[in-house]
Amino acid sequence: MESILEAITSGDASPADFAALAVPESYRAVTLHKDEEQMFAGLDSRDKDPRKSLHLDDVPVPELGPGEALVAVMASAVNYNTVWSSIYEPVSTFSFLERYGKLSPESARHNLPYHVLGSDLAGVVLRTGPGVHAWKPGDEVVAHCLSVELESSDGHNDTMMDPEQRIWGFETNFGGLAELALVKSNQLMPKPAHLTWEEAASPGLVNSTAYRQLVSRNGAGMKQGDNVLIWGASGGLGSYATQYALAGGATPICVVGSEAKADICRAMGAEAIIDRSAEGFKFWKDENTQDPREWKRLGGRIRELTGGEDVDIVFEHPGRETFGASVYVTRKGGTIVTCASTSGYMHQYDNRYLWMSLKRIVGSHFANYREAWEANRLIAKGKIHPTLSKTYRLEETGQAALDVHHNSHQGKVGVLCLSPAEGLGVRDEELRAKHLPAINRFKGE
């Protein structure tokens, strides 16, 4: 690994130099162990501690297959799917690996007694498999997390519709929270040159998800002038939705849980902000009963902030806790676009407010390659900025996952993999200087 890192940090190694580097037999990776699937049995979700389930192991380097690339990972990041994996909810991810392993001899490599997690990376291509022509050793890349087979016609209009669509590092093995990662070549995109490794790694999953969910015609199709209610507007996903609303001429109504998070939204340029904690919104009377009076109060508060208008779009990802309110406050003919369900998957809402007001619920899941490419292009051009707030070392990934699990973070939490320190990997200092305050916004610098 030392020679690989030396080549990357030198800045002048050629593709031939990278191709000549020896690939080690093993690498360090953050893993789950299959024999620990029941370790949290009987505990409430919040009491499940990722620091106990996530391990840093030396694992064998996987065999490189057709259409694949082996990437030296300089940095990665933690997403909610890493948290779900680490607490074995809603199911153990080993069930995904077992199912994928039955698909083909190549996919059988993924069905192992350990699972290398991680759905983000920034790094350098080391090797490419047969059939890969667009990428070469030495290319500085980021990876999006859509893994597809594309042997069915269903996926050829929108690759998210491929019956064998999976999320890399969650439903597949060999993810990005490691020193090396195995990806399909059509997951690769150019690393934004003005960002550090850890900054470049952090947007991947959430930025692409927000783009499809809010901007794409496959999602809400946001337009200029729309009012957009954004739950968790300073969080890993919501912070990108807030930026897209502002950049696209819409008005974000940012829902946050503290004054510090409200300040982050103001720093991004948002003006309409609802602090749920300060204003005491509680949408459930008890575990089984929602409170429509709180939905109505939220709707009134939104109209105060918008000059009497309801929201055209609700950017939904908390799920169970907020979904009833989301359906209620959306304007007649408006759209609730939903993914993730971080507070629970079993949504409840009053269907009268949906059907009689001609509203739409749109399900959105990650993004296809084109959407991910467009989202990354906006990062590279300095139109949308990373929301990295804190960076951990690879051996501290359990603590990073705990931060996300308990929502004690803002924006995204990064993880250094091969990179020995923060701040490395910038190639375009001029563009960086132009956008430095926005790049550092979530870091408190």
Side-chain angles (χ1 to χ4, degrees), residues 201-277:
S202 67
L205 185 151
V206 286
N207 182 40
S208 301
T209 299
Y211 182 92
R212 180 182 175 105
Q213 190 173 350
L214 192 56
V215 179
S216 170
R217 285 173 289 183
N218 289 315
M222 183 191 73
K223 66 183 186 302
Q224 289 180 324
D226 279 348
N227 293 314
V228 183
L229 183 69
I230 301 171
W231 296 102
S234 74
L237 188 59
S239 58
Y240 287 96
T242 299
Q243 291 188 72
Y244 280 118
L246 291 165
T251 299
I253 295 89
C254 297
V255 185
V256 296
S258 70
E259 183 58 27
K261 293 181 177 182
D263 287 341
I264 286 286
C265 293
R266 294 187 188 99
M268 285 190 284
E271 297 178 357
I273 298 170
I274 298 172
D275 183 339
R276 287 184 60 185
S277 297

Side-chain angles (χ1 to χ4, degrees), residues 194 376-385 431 435 438:
H194 67 298
N376 184 64
R377 176 173 172 267
L378 291 169
I379 295 281
K381 293 173 74 69
K383 303 291 186 182
I384 300 295
H385 305 289
L431 184 62
H435 296 294

Side-chain angles (χ1 to χ4, degrees), residues 98-413:
E98 290 167 9
R99 186 159 59 248
Y100 188 32
K102 296 175 182 177
L103 183 66
S104 69
E106 289 78 18
S107 66
R109 293 169 296 163
H110 292 254
N111 186 14
L112 295 167
Y114 60 87
H115 188 180
V116 181
L117 303 178
S119 299
D120 286 323
L121 72 72
V124 177
V125 175
L126 291 181
R127 296 284 190 275
T128 57
V132 178
H133 308 293
W135 305 96
K136 62 184 182 302
D139 285 343
E140 296 188 350
V141 295
V142 293
H144 70 78
C145 63
L146 175 61
S147 174
V148 290
E149 307 301 319
L150 293 182
E151 292 188 298
S152 166
S153 64
D154 294 352
H156 283 261
N157 186 42
D158 174 10
T159 51
M160 283 301 300
M161 304 304 285
D162 183 10
E164 298 298 337
Q165 174 268 319
R166 290 173 174 84
I167 298 299
W168 160 72
F170 178 58
E171 295 167 300
T172 78
N173 218 324
F174 316 123
L177 286 165
E179 294 175 331
L180 299 176
L182 186 70
V183 300
K184 295 181 184 294
S185 64
N186 59 14
Q187 292 178 240
L188 296 176
M189 304 179 293
K191 173 191 171 291
H194 67 298
L195 299 181
T196 67
W197 295 113
E198 64 274 12
E199 291 163 355
S202 67
L205 185 151
V206 286
N207 182 40
S208 301
T209 299
Y211 182 92
R212 180 182 175 105
Q213 190 173 350
L214 192 56
V215 179
S216 170
R217 285 173 289 183
N218 289 315
M222 183 191 73
K223 66 183 186 302
Q224 289 180 324
D226 279 348
N227 293 314
V228 183
L229 183 69
I230 301 171
W231 296 102
S234 74
L237 188 59
S239 58
Y240 287 96
T242 299
Q243 291 188 72
Y244 280 118
L246 291 165
T251 299
I253 295 89
C254 297
V255 185
V256 296
S258 70
E259 183 58 27
K261 293 181 177 182
D263 287 341
I264 286 286
C265 293
R266 294 187 188 99
M268 285 190 284
E271 297 178 357
I273 298 170
I274 298 172
D275 183 339
R276 287 184 60 185
S277 297
E279 301 188 35
F281 282 106
K282 294 183 179 179
F283 301 119
W284 290 78
K285 297 178 181 178
D286 55 46
E287 183 67 23
N288 300 306
T289 310
Q290 295 194 63
D291 190 348
R293 293 173 301 178
E294 288 291 89
W295 303 347
K296 186 174 183 180
R297 184 162 76 93
L298 177 64
R301 185 73 179 97
I302 291 168
R303 287 189 289 274
E304 289 176 7
L305 294 169
T306 60
E309 297 179 341
D310 292 323
V311 291
D312 301 275
I313 299 167
V314 178
F315 186 86
E316 246 291 344
H317 53 99
R320 175 179 170 80
E321 183 182 351
T322 58
F323 204 82
S326 294
V327 171
Y328 179 85
V329 301
T330 307
R331 74 162 178 84
K332 188 171 185 175
T335 301
I336 304 96
V337 59
T338 178
C339 78
S341 296
T342 52
S343 71
Y345 301 94
M346 300 303 291
H347 299 184
Q348 295 180 17
Y349 62 92
D350 188 329
N351 197 44
R352 293 172 297 177
Y353 298 113
L354 187 80
W355 117 66
M356 296 182 71
S357 294
L358 306 170
K359 303 175 186 181
R360 297 186 307 145
I361 296 173
V362 176
S364 186
H365 183 41
F366 189 58
N368 62 39
Y369 194 11
R370 183 61 186 173
E371 291 161 339
W373 190 281
E374 289 294 329
N376 184 64
R377 176 173 172 267
L378 291 169
I379 295 281
K381 293 173 74 69
K383 303 291 186 182
I384 300 295
H385 305 289
T387 63
L388 184 67
S389 61
K390 189 172 183 179
T391 303
Y392 287 93
R393 292 174 292 121
L394 190 61
E395 52 266 38
E396 299 171 322
T397 302
Q399 182 61 51
L402 186 67
D403 287 358
V404 177
H405 183 28
H406 288 172
N407 198 30
S408 60
H409 69 303
Q410 296 189 112
K412 281 296 290 288
V413 176

